Amino acid sequence: VGLLTGIFAQFNLDAKNSELINTDFNVGIPLSWRSGNWSTRLRYYHQSSHIGDEFLGSHPGFKSISFILEEVEGIISYDYRWLRLYGGGGYLVHREPTTFDRGRIQWGFEARAPAMRTQILVPFLNRLTVTPVLSADFKSIQAHDWIIDTNVLGGFEWSRTGSRRHFRIMATYFHGYNPYGLFVINQKIESIGVGAYFTF
């Protein structure tokens, strides 16, 4: 049993005041289970989105509406040696606006190359290994006529032998509908970036 919380904000860095475009507030309760190579997750998830005041001030013709999603999601995963495959879907039990369709399917994979020992940060961190990682996530929702959104990540993961703590630096590529706030309704985007992730 876990608790998921997050705040995701987008800013227009080209504007003089780096105007706040949108903020998403997320909270979820995931229930996870594993047996051997099989694992699964059932999650109840809430998202509410709010357009920034600076964005509204510079876009007087933009019509802001209440955008709230509450979803039940189920994902099943299987690990086979260096490859993990997963798939599942979700159903919106509550949404505003009510014209937003309810269904979603999702699938993907994570591939891990053999771990290698590295001398980085030695002697501060002994027994440090690095693992090349490549993953891809595909999402298709009913509201977009099941058009597929693609998210690809590739990079390296550092960890100590026998530890469950991992640090990743990943390059990211996304192509599909904007996953943030009101813009998810009808705005397509393509983006690249770099992310740092710490898991434990």
Side-chain angles (χ1 to χ4, degrees):
V1 179
L3 176 64
L4 167 69
T5 61
I7 299 175
F8 301 90
Q10 295 80 51
F11 296 88
N12 180 9
L13 300 182
D14 293 328
K16 287 185 178 180
N17 61 349
S18 298
E19 65 182 15
L20 174 63
I21 299 174
N22 177 80
T23 304
D24 292 325
F25 296 91
N26 303 326
V27 62
I29 301 176
L31 306 176
S32 303
W33 170 85
R34 171 176 284 276
S35 178
N37 291 339
W38 290 96
S39 60
T40 187
R41 182 185 72 193
L42 181 67
R43 181 176 69 170
Y44 179 81
Y45 180 78
H46 169 91
Q47 173 183 332
S48 61
S49 302
H50 306 272
I51 298 296
D53 291 338
E54 296 92 344
F55 179 83
L56 290 176
S58 61
H59 297 78
F62 186 86
K63 182 179 179 181
S64 179
I65 61 174
S66 177
F67 190 75
I68 298 173
L69 303 178
E70 294 181 1
E71 181 183 63
V72 174
E73 172 199 70
I75 298 287
I76 189 168
S77 172
Y78 182 76
D79 293 272
Y80 180 75
R81 296 183 180 178
W82 50 269
L83 181 66
R84 180 173 70 92
L85 302 172
Y86 67 89
Y91 185 81
L92 294 175
V93 295
H94 174 75
R95 76 272 197 230
E96 297 179 20
T98 58
T99 54
F100 199 78
D101 292 322
R102 297 178 183 268
R104 175 176 65 86
I105 57 175
Q106 186 173 359
W107 67 97
F109 72 88
E110 180 180 84
R112 302 169 61 87
M116 304 171 289
R117 292 194 178 275
T118 177
Q119 297 300 313
I120 298 176
L121 299 181
V122 173
F124 303 102
L125 292 175
N126 294 323
R127 297 172 295 150
L128 199 66
T129 61
V130 59
T131 305
V133 180
L134 175 67
S135 65
D137 178 77
F138 306 97
K139 185 183 299 182
S140 180
I141 69 173
Q142 185 180 3
H144 297 151
D145 296 323
W146 305 108
I147 293 174
I148 298 173
D149 298 334
T150 301
N151 192 21
V152 179
L153 296 90
F156 298 92
E157 176 184 275
W158 286 267
S159 63
R160 287 202 305 179
T161 302
S163 174
R164 294 186 178 183
R165 297 181 177 90
H166 304 273
F167 176 72
R168 289 182 173 184
I169 295 180
M170 306 284 281
T172 66
Y173 170 78
F174 178 83
H175 181 271
Y177 279 91
N178 193 330
Y180 301 114
L182 296 177
F183 305 101
V184 74
I185 296 176
N186 57 16
Q187 185 185 71
K188 283 189 174 182
I189 64 170
E190 186 175 29
S191 66
I192 58 174
V194 177
Y197 310 85
F198 179 70
T199 62
F200 57 92

